[in-house]
């Protein structure tokens, strides 16, 4: 059931909700939270569809706030509120109120939304696009216990991650972080199967995908090792390789569906790592409304502390152009570059394993011609992780990543310590 209200007020909207519930025979309010979506007209349909799909798991009152830009100076001085009330089959398993704000009232959206919030129920605010730099201090964000953004939708994802780290408040979260939940679960399970020390790691994914940076920061923060962010053709996140004292661990997803997990002295196994829809990501975030301390710790680690400066990505057994080394037996680049100060609290016997891996890498590097200088055209002659020529099938440059050329190489990086949680 749909009800259109033109030039209305919050009181009239509440009355329309009560009337609509009685009309369809469900006068009781059986919703568990209020979801406030702040978006524009262009993205409102997709955001509302994702929210309706997520409401099957979390029945909620969904309030969509759309600020309409007036075309003339005269119209900008006039305030008007139009609303669309949806109840029943048109609103998933909850209720939907679409608010369109014109004129000066658009600058005071919180005053319109506040009377429509469900009493004694948590509030979640979601910005599908164009999130504020400081969500917790935004007038609408201040209404919510949880604030959901998506740095993948930002024009400059790396700058967005820096802003999120600088302005983080408990309750902030990012759908770019939610996208890597299956990867984090699979990597944690893989490390539980072997008794080893991790020496270094590398994460590869498409260029402008902040989920790759977040996964690399999570690994560096949790394992206290240097992690390099590599660039591949995608789609999304493609590969994680970890050099350990017992051999390499590799999780490789070539096409965004089925992934291959490789462990030393164990058979390769296929695992499901499909790319999820926005509705699934939103439903996951609504399951827990307490602060995500793991996300906060990974975010504060800092995107600028990730290793970089290499062009493209080299697969297991392939060469890394511009690094002057060969990734032998899954060792990414020159292993000696990852050794000094790379591991915090290494156990006995690890030094011999590291020295052996470093010696093998140096021996392989000695047989290679001199490496191209940094910034030279890059990895067209190297063998990619899919077995094809080039970095993800193309010729790249050392500055292929988003800010990758400005990041230090692992050899230039200081010992890794856990990020300050203050």
């Amino acid at each position: 059931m749909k009800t259109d209200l033109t030039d209305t007020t919050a009181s009239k909207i509440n009355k329309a909700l009560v009337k609509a519930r009685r009309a369809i025979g469900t006068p009781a309010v059986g919703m568990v939270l209020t979801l406030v979506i702040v978006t524009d007209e262009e993205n409102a349909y997709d955001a509302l569809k994702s929210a309706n799909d997520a409401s099957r798991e979390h029945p909620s009152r969904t309030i969509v706030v759309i600020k309409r830009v007036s075309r003339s100076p005269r119209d900008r001085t006039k305030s008007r509120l139009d609303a669309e009330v949806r109840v029943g089959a048109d609103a998933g398993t909850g209720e939907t109120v679409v608010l369109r704000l014109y004129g000066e009232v658009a600058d005071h959206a919180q005053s319109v939304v506040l009377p429509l919030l469900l009493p004694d129920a948590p509030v979640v605010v979601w910005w599908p696009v164009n999130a504020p730099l400081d969500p917790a201090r935004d007038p609408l964000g201040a209404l919510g216990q949880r604030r959901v953004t998506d740095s993948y939708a930002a024009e400059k994802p790396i700058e967005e991650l820096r802003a999120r780290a600088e302005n983080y408040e408990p309750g902030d979260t990012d759908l770019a972080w939610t996208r890597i939940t299956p990867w984090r679960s699979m990597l944690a399970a893989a490390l539980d199967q072997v008794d080893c020390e991790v020496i270094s790691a590398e994460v590869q994914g498409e260029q402008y995908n902040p989920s790759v940076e977040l996964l690399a920061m999570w690994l560096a923060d949790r394992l206290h090792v240097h992690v390099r962010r590599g660039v591949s053709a995608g789609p999304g996140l493609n590969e994680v390789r970890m050099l350990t004292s017992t051999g390499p661990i590799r999780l490789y997803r070539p096409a965004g569906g089925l992934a291959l997990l490789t462990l030393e002295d164990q058979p390769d196994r296929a695992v499901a790592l499909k790319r999820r829809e926005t509705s699934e990501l939103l439903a996951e975030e609504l399951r827990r409304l307490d602060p995500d301390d793991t996300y906060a710790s990974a975010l504060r680690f800092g995107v600028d502390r990730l290793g970089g400066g290499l062009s493209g990505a080299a697969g297991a057994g392939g060469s890394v152009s511009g690094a002057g080394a060969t990734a032998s037996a899954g060792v990414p680049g020159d292993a000696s570059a990852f050794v000094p100060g790379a591991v915090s609290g290494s156990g006995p016997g690890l030094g011999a394993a590291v020295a052996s891996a470093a010696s093998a890498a140096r021996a392989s590097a000695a047989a290679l011609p001199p490496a191209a200088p940094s910034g030279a055209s890059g990895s067209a002659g190297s063998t990619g992780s899919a077995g094809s020529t080039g970095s993800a099938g193309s010729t790249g440059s050392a500055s292929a990543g988003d800010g990758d050329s400005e990041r230090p190489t692992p050899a230039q990086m200081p010992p890794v310590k856990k990020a300050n949680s203050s």
Side-chain angles (χ1 to χ4, degrees), residues 134-157:
D134 194 346
R137 289 173 175 79
D138 181 81
L140 283 171
L143 300 176
Q145 286 78 39
R146 200 73 186 269
R147 295 164 294 276
V148 184
T149 59
D150 191 354
S151 55
Y152 183 77
E155 184 177 355
K156 296 181 178 179

Side-chain angles (χ1 to χ4, degrees), residues 28-382:
V29 179
M31 288 157 285
V32 298
L33 59 89
T34 303
L35 176 63
V36 180
I37 305 175
V38 187
T39 184
D40 52 22
E41 199 72 63
E42 179 183 358
N43 297 280
Y45 175 82
D46 291 335
L48 189 54
K49 183 179 183 300
S50 298
N52 287 342
D53 291 342
S55 70
R56 296 190 179 98
E57 184 176 340
H58 310 278
S60 58
R61 174 176 289 180
T62 303
I63 302 175
V64 184
V65 179
I66 303 173
K67 300 179 181 180
R68 299 294 298 269
V69 178
S70 301
R71 297 186 177 182
S72 67
R74 182 181 301 173
D75 291 338
R76 294 190 193 106
T77 62
K78 298 178 181 178
S79 297
R80 193 177 95 227
L81 171 63
D82 294 345
E84 182 179 332
V85 177
R86 305 179 186 179
V87 177
D90 296 314
T93 59
E95 300 173 345
T96 298
V97 179
V98 181
L99 303 175
R100 290 180 171 86
L101 289 70
Y102 299 82
E104 294 179 351
V105 71
D107 298 327
H108 305 280
Q110 71 278 8
S111 301
V112 179
V113 172
L114 187 59
L116 301 177
L117 302 178
L118 290 172
D120 302 323
V123 178
V124 178
V125 185
W126 173 35
W127 291 269
V129 293
N130 301 327
L133 290 179
D134 194 346
R137 289 173 175 79
D138 181 81
L140 283 171
L143 300 176
Q145 286 78 39
R146 200 73 186 269
R147 295 164 294 276
V148 184
T149 59
D150 191 354
S151 55
Y152 183 77
E155 184 177 355
K156 296 181 178 179
I158 304 305
E159 294 297 329
E160 192 80 2
L161 289 179
R162 292 190 182 105
R164 293 284 164 266
E166 182 179 351
N167 300 309
Y168 175 82
E169 292 290 340
D172 292 353
T173 190
D174 192 338
L175 291 186
W177 170 258
T178 317
R179 290 184 180 95
I180 63 173
T181 299
W183 285 81
R184 294 190 294 119
S185 301
M186 194 60 60
L187 292 171
L191 288 175
D192 283 342
Q193 298 179 42
V194 292
D195 185 13
C196 66
E197 291 283 350
V198 180
I199 303 169
S200 64
E202 180 175 1
V203 182
Q204 295 181 6
E206 61 186 359
Q207 185 173 355
Y208 298 107
N209 194 323
S211 295
V212 184
E213 270 82 11
L214 284 170
L215 183 59
M217 289 190 289
W218 172 73
L219 285 172
D221 180 56
R222 293 287 125 181
L223 299 176
H224 299 183
V225 300
H226 291 309
V227 180
R228 196 184 81 83
R229 197 272 199 231
V231 178
S232 69
L237 185 59
N238 288 119
E239 182 179 8
V240 176
R241 285 181 291 158
M242 293 185 288
L243 173 63
T244 73
S245 56
T246 59
I249 296 176
R250 184 187 187 216
L251 183 59
Y252 176 57
R253 184 182 68 177
L258 202 63
L260 187 69
L261 177 63
T262 303
L263 298 173
E264 192 75 8
D265 299 328
Q266 295 188 26
D268 295 349
R269 65 198 73 177
V271 294
L273 278 179
K274 72 180 184 70
R275 305 190 73 190
R276 298 182 292 169
E277 299 291 336
T278 304
S279 57
E280 298 177 70
L281 303 175
L282 186 61
E284 179 183 326
E285 284 299 333
L286 296 180
R287 287 179 198 136
R288 291 187 58 182
L289 301 180
D290 55 325
D292 191 339
D293 295 332
T294 306
Y295 166 69
S297 182
L299 193 63
R300 289 192 179 111
F301 180 85
V303 67
D304 296 315
R305 297 175 66 187
L306 298 177
L310 298 184
S311 169
S319 64
V320 182
S321 175
T326 299
S328 175
V331 180
D334 186 354
S336 62
F338 292 82
V339 175
V343 182
S344 175
S346 304
L350 179 59
V354 173
S356 176
S359 299
R362 283 193 293 268
S364 300
L368 293 176
S374 176
S377 179
S379 53
S382 62

